Amino acid sequence: MTLLTGLSAFPITPADAEGRVDPGALRVLLARLVGSGVDSIGLLGSTGTYAYLSRAERRRALETALDATAGRVPLLVGVGALRTDEAVRLAQDAKGMGAAAGLLAPVSYTPLTDDEVFEHFATVARESGLPLCIYDNPGTTHFRFGPDLVGRLARVPGIVAVKSPAPEPEGVAAHLAALRAAVPEGFPLGYSGDWHAAEALIAGGDAWYSVVAGLFPEAGLAILRAVRAGDAAEARRLDARMRPLWDLFRAFSSLRVVYACADLMGLCHAAPPRPILPLPEAARQRVAGALRALDLS
């Protein structure tokens, strides 16, 4: 599916302390992405705190984004939920409202087996009709997709791509090769984890699902364009330049850091949903220093 290649930008979803989405603040963030050249917008991903929002607020966020983008940038929308029937309803909402595709993670309290995850995905795909991207995010779901399971799911009608966490640079080629051997030809293999994404793209990854691009699309696009031009040295130079931000992402989580960035830049003053707390002042000052050093503020 061509929309699930290239750069997908994942913004936060500004909301108040009661979990009500702020459409005006969301529009401000989306305005930075519309027309930037990103290939898609990843709405309500982990950075978009989908797991903390009610069905009604997810609909409000999607309605706002569809209006703000006006069809100019495809929307990939998080539809993960604890229950399969709830995920089906969320995917049906996204399909009916006009999202291009859904991003589905195997969210669970009880650890899931491969067969349970397969049935969950197959049911959501079948009953919603929404094209789905497999969301492999073991850091939050505590479930890891192996190549065999990805290969099984890649043959389910309506499951059209996979988003994996980018391995360490020395392991990305092997990871890609294992997935390529398991999935049908042309099935897009994309990566998240901004600090390793450049190497994943250089190795042949089809997509970068990017947190940093949700605020700074130009920085992500510059790396992607260098890779597409065959200039791995330039892509690595641009990636190395972003190292102060990557280090902060790894130290404090990209979610907390991008909330601090948005606040420091005056784009919106939302806090992450509780129990997640904003960064303490010393860490905020480190973020501010990185923004100044990178000339991103």
Side-chain angles (χ1 to χ4, degrees):
M1 193 172 190
T2 55
L3 80 92
L4 298 181
T5 60
L7 183 65
S8 188
F10 279 67
I12 64 173
T13 308
D16 66 15
E18 283 70 48
R20 292 186 294 259
V21 171
D22 182 342
L26 181 56
R27 284 176 180 277
V28 169
L29 299 177
L30 292 169
R32 296 171 67 87
L33 307 180
V34 175
S36 68
V38 298
D39 295 282
S40 63
I41 293 173
L43 188 76
L44 297 172
S46 293
T47 304
T49 57
Y50 73 93
Y52 299 88
L53 297 171
S54 68
R55 181 183 178 188
E57 293 306 315
R58 294 202 209 185
R59 287 180 61 92
R60 189 195 307 275
L62 178 53
E63 183 178 63
T64 299
L66 287 165
D67 184 61
T69 57
R72 288 170 286 178
V73 186
L75 292 175
L76 169 67
V77 181
V79 295
L82 279 169
R83 293 177 56 93
T84 299
D85 53 2
E86 184 180 357
V88 167
R89 287 190 289 269
L90 291 164
Q92 288 171 338
D93 286 349
K95 169 74 171 178
M97 294 174 71
L103 183 63
L104 181 60
V107 183
S108 187
Y109 183 84
T110 300
L112 299 175
T113 68
D114 280 12
D115 286 343
E116 288 167 339
V117 170
F118 180 87
E119 290 300 326
H120 178 66
F121 275 70
T123 299
V124 176
R126 181 181 65 251
E127 296 189 11
S128 72
L130 179 71
L132 296 177
C133 177
I134 301 163
Y135 187 8
D136 186 5
N137 189 9
T140 58
T141 65
H142 308 292
F143 181 89
R144 186 177 293 277
F145 286 82
D148 289 347
L149 180 56
V150 174
R152 287 174 65 195
L153 287 169
R155 290 165 173 82
V156 172
I159 297 181
V160 298
V162 62
K163 172 183 183 288
S164 302
E168 295 288 333
E170 60 272 15
V172 69
H175 186 268
L176 263 171
L179 288 181
R180 291 262 186 246
V183 302
E185 185 176 356
F187 190 84
L189 306 178
Y191 287 95
S192 59
D194 284 353
W195 46 91
H196 290 323
E199 290 299 328
L201 291 171
I202 291 167
D206 298 305
W208 176 10
Y209 298 94
S210 174
V211 174
V212 78
L215 274 184
F216 311 110
E218 293 81 6
L221 285 166
I223 293 171
L224 177 65
R225 288 167 180 158
V227 173
R228 285 178 167 172
D231 193 344
E234 176 64 4
R236 289 184 173 117
R237 184 190 71 80
L238 292 167
D239 175 67
R241 182 178 180 273
M242 298 295 291
R243 188 61 52 189
L245 205 54
W246 301 160
D247 289 345
L248 289 167
F249 280 10
R250 299 182 80 168
F252 300 111
S253 84
S254 56
L255 175 67
R256 294 182 179 91
V257 172
V258 293
Y259 266 91
C261 287
D263 183 56
L264 287 162
M265 296 166 67
L267 296 174
C268 70
H269 300 294
R274 298 292 296 270
I276 304 167
L277 295 174
L279 289 179
E281 186 58 30
R284 275 175 57 89
Q285 290 307 311
R286 288 180 60 185
V287 174
L291 291 177
R292 288 192 298 270
L294 295 171
D295 196 25
L296 293 174
S297 57

